[in-house]
Structures are given as structure tokens and as C-alpha cells.
Amino acid sequence: MMENLSNLKVLRELLARHGFTFSKALGQNFLVNPTVCPRMAREGGAGPGVGVLEIGAGVGVLTAELARLAEKVVCVEIDSRLLPVLDETLAEFSNVEIVNADVMEVDLQALLAEKFPGMEVVVCANLPYYITSPILMRLLEQQLPVRAITVMVQKEAAQRLCAAPGSRQVGAVSIAVRYYSEPRVLFPVSRGSFLPAPEVDSAVIRLDVRPQPAVDAPPQAFFRVVRAAFSMRRKTLLNCLSGGLGLAKGEAAALLERAGVPAGARAEQLSLEQFAAIARAL
Ligand code: SAM
């Protein structure tokens, strides 16, 4: 059964039999390129002794590949209409559990502790694109005991999420990702690899979660500074920080002086260490 799921005729027949129609609002674009899931599962770190948290099962193409390689797979899927489909497509696997819930509402700490006691855990998912960043920030900010997060996202999102400090594409989200992890793009995936085909191409990225944040600064102050610094495009750091942190110009200048960061610099040029220095000076 699973071998055929990337076959469009088999997939369409399966969905029709269950009366399933795609929900655009839930970001339902299912993978139909047979080479992508095995590669994602492998490069995402699924293997003996490893527990995998997946988000969004669809009809279970990636779930099945993860189940083949990993010790155990737990998948959070919001759409209850997919449950009978998954019962059928994943029938051969005894190491898969589907949790019918919204990943933005689930207590992930408790879920991981309950489902993967003492196991190394990785996250692997083809994310619903309407909430890519919120899901990733939720996974990272909770500092879950997870070794790596390997996800399919839109190509532009992949570039932004993995952008290095100092590069043109860097934004607040790139800095946040780097604070918690070491990101890299694994491989591109064309829009034709999905049913229905989305309007843009995709890419798989992997975030290797750091045991400790990259720099020494309390998260709350660090992210206040980062958000303020990127609040106005093409403005100097001095202007952004005084606006974003509600400081008088003179106070913002003194803050930058204490941190040893030039007031005329722009957020895109700053290293993580410089953001941390400002957060500590705050
Ligand atoms: N893994 C499948 C694949 O690769 O073909 C499906 C990927 S599809 C891009 C995203 C999946 O996430 C859909 O099955 C959708 O129902 C589910 N989903 C959307 N929003 C969700 C949420 N908030 N919590 C959990 N699952 C969600």
C-alpha cells in the first residue's frame, strides 16, 4: 500500500474512497515525489533508538518512511478526517501513534516526556506553510529536549530562516533560529512534488538544536532587542532601538555605547554577540 502512495492514481482513489477534499486553510499539499520522504527521514536523523515527532501526517507518506527507520513515531495531526485514511495507510506499522490535535495547542514538553522516555528525539515534518515560523519558534523557544528539527518549508522561508548574520536576507527570525540552533538548507524540492502543487518551490532545512543558546544573554532581553533592531527596514540601529524600546535618542545612544556597538550600524550587519552585548547592557 505505502509503496504506491506517491502514485497519483492510487492516492486519488484512496482520497475519493474516504470522501476527502484538500483544505487550503490547513496547508494541505501532500508529497507525491517518492524520493523526497526517504531522504528527509534519513537526513533528519531517524534511526534505531530514535523517537521522531512529526507535525501534520497528511496520508502518512513521510510518517511511513520515519516508521521504517526510527524506533517510534508520534505525529500530531489536526484534521480528524485524515484519521481513517491513516488507519489504512499505516496499518503495517506498530511503532506509529497519531495524536489528533493542533500542534500550537499541545503541551509538547509533556508529550515528548510521555511518548519518548529516555530516547533521543528529533522533529521531522513537511510543515503547513501558513504557520511555518510560529511552529518553529514554538519548538525552539520551549527548549524541548530535541536534537534536530528537519522541516520542509517554502524556499523563501528556508533562505530567511537559514540566513547568516551580515547577509542581505537576515531578519529577526534568522537571529532567533541561530540563537537556539545551527541551521542549514539540505535540498530543494520543486512545487511539482506536491498534490495539489503550491505556487512556490520548497526546500528542506535542518536545525541542529544547541545544548545552550549561542550567546550569553537572557532570552527575554535578547529578543526584545532583536525585534526592536529589525522593526524598521533601512533605518539605523539608533533609530530602531529608540523607537522599538521606547527610549529617548540619548538613552539609546548610551545603551549602544555601553554595548560597544556603533550607533550608525544596521541590524542586518550585527553578529549574535553584538545583539547579546546590547541585551546585557539593557
Ligand atoms: N506529511 C504530509 C505530506 O508530506 O504529504 C502532509 C504535509 S501537509 C503540507 C501539512 C499537514 O499538516 C496537513 O496534513 C495538515 O492537515 C496538517 N496541519 C495543518 N495545521 C496543523 C496544526 N495546526 N497542527 C497539526 N497539524 C496541522
Side-chain angles (χ1 to χ4, degrees), residues 2-3 5 37-42 44-54 57 59-75 86 89-98 116 119 122-125:
M2 284 311 301
E3 262 61 43
L5 269 188
C37 292
R39 187 166 175 197
M40 258 186 98
R42 216 172 41 241
V50 175
V52 183
L53 173 68
E54 192 195 359
V59 297
V61 267
L62 177 59
T63 322
E65 291 306 328
L66 295 169
R68 268 187 243 287
L69 298 180
E71 190 78 20
K72 184 173 176 187
V73 181
V74 171
C75 183
L86 291 163
T89 57
L90 299 172
E92 70 187 273
F93 299 102
S94 55
N95 60 342
V96 175
E97 199 180 316
I98 307 291
F116 304 119
M119 288 167 83
V122 299
V123 175
C124 193

Side-chain angles (χ1 to χ4, degrees), residues 20 23 25-32 37 40 54-63 75-79 81-82 99 101-105 125-131 135 152 194-195:
F20 180 86
S23 159
L26 290 179
Q28 291 178 339
N29 301 92
F30 296 166
L31 268 166
V32 291
C37 292
M40 258 186 98
E54 192 195 359
I55 297 151
V59 297
V61 267
L62 177 59
T63 322
C75 183
V76 179
E77 169 59 62
I78 197 172
D79 190 347
R81 299 175 306 153
L82 288 166
V99 176
D102 181 343
V103 71
M104 297 305 289
E105 310 258 299
N126 174 10
L127 290 182
Y129 291 165
Y130 72 106
I131 41 169
I135 292 178
M152 174 95 67
F194 301 87
L195 182 75

Side-chain angles (χ1 to χ4, degrees), residues 143-280:
Q143 300 192 270
L144 301 170
V146 158
R147 199 167 61 94
I149 300 172
T150 302
V151 285
M152 174 95 67
V153 298
Q154 289 189 341
K155 201 169 111 194
E156 289 69 23
Q159 285 160 355
R160 206 169 55 248
L161 289 162
C162 297
S167 70
R168 205 168 46 83
Q169 282 151 326
V170 79
V173 78
S174 345
I175 301 295
V177 163
R178 240 159 242 268
Y179 179 81
Y180 292 113
S181 74
E182 289 179 65
R184 70 197 140 106
V185 178
L186 290 182
F187 56 92
V189 178
S190 71
R191 64 195 80 184
S193 300
F194 301 87
L195 182 75
E199 271 150 35
V200 293
D201 292 324
S202 293
V204 176
I205 63 172
R206 176 171 159 142
L207 315 180
D208 283 293
V209 179
R210 301 174 190 274
Q212 301 293 333
V215 288
D216 179 24
Q220 233 196 332
F222 183 81
F223 288 111
R224 261 188 81 204
V225 169
V226 170
R227 264 195 306 274
F230 284 100
S231 59
M232 296 179 284
R233 272 290 177 202
R234 284 181 294 277
K235 289 265 163 67
T236 62
L237 204 52
L238 181 65
N239 281 322
C240 291
L241 288 186
S242 91
L245 297 174
L247 302 174
K249 278 272 159 63
E251 290 173 325
L255 174 68
L256 286 169
E257 168 107 44
R258 282 202 299 285
V261 176
R266 286 166 211 279
E268 303 91 83
Q269 303 167 321
L270 259 53
S271 67
L272 252 66
E273 191 39 62
Q274 287 176 306
F275 283 115
I278 302 171
R280 286 193 300 264

Side-chain angles (χ1 to χ4, degrees), residues 127-143:
L127 290 182
Y129 291 165
Y130 72 106
I131 41 169
T132 298
S133 291
I135 292 178
L136 286 177
M137 289 323 297
R138 191 169 153 83
L139 293 171
L140 292 169
E141 278 169 2
Q142 295 191 16
Q143 300 192 270

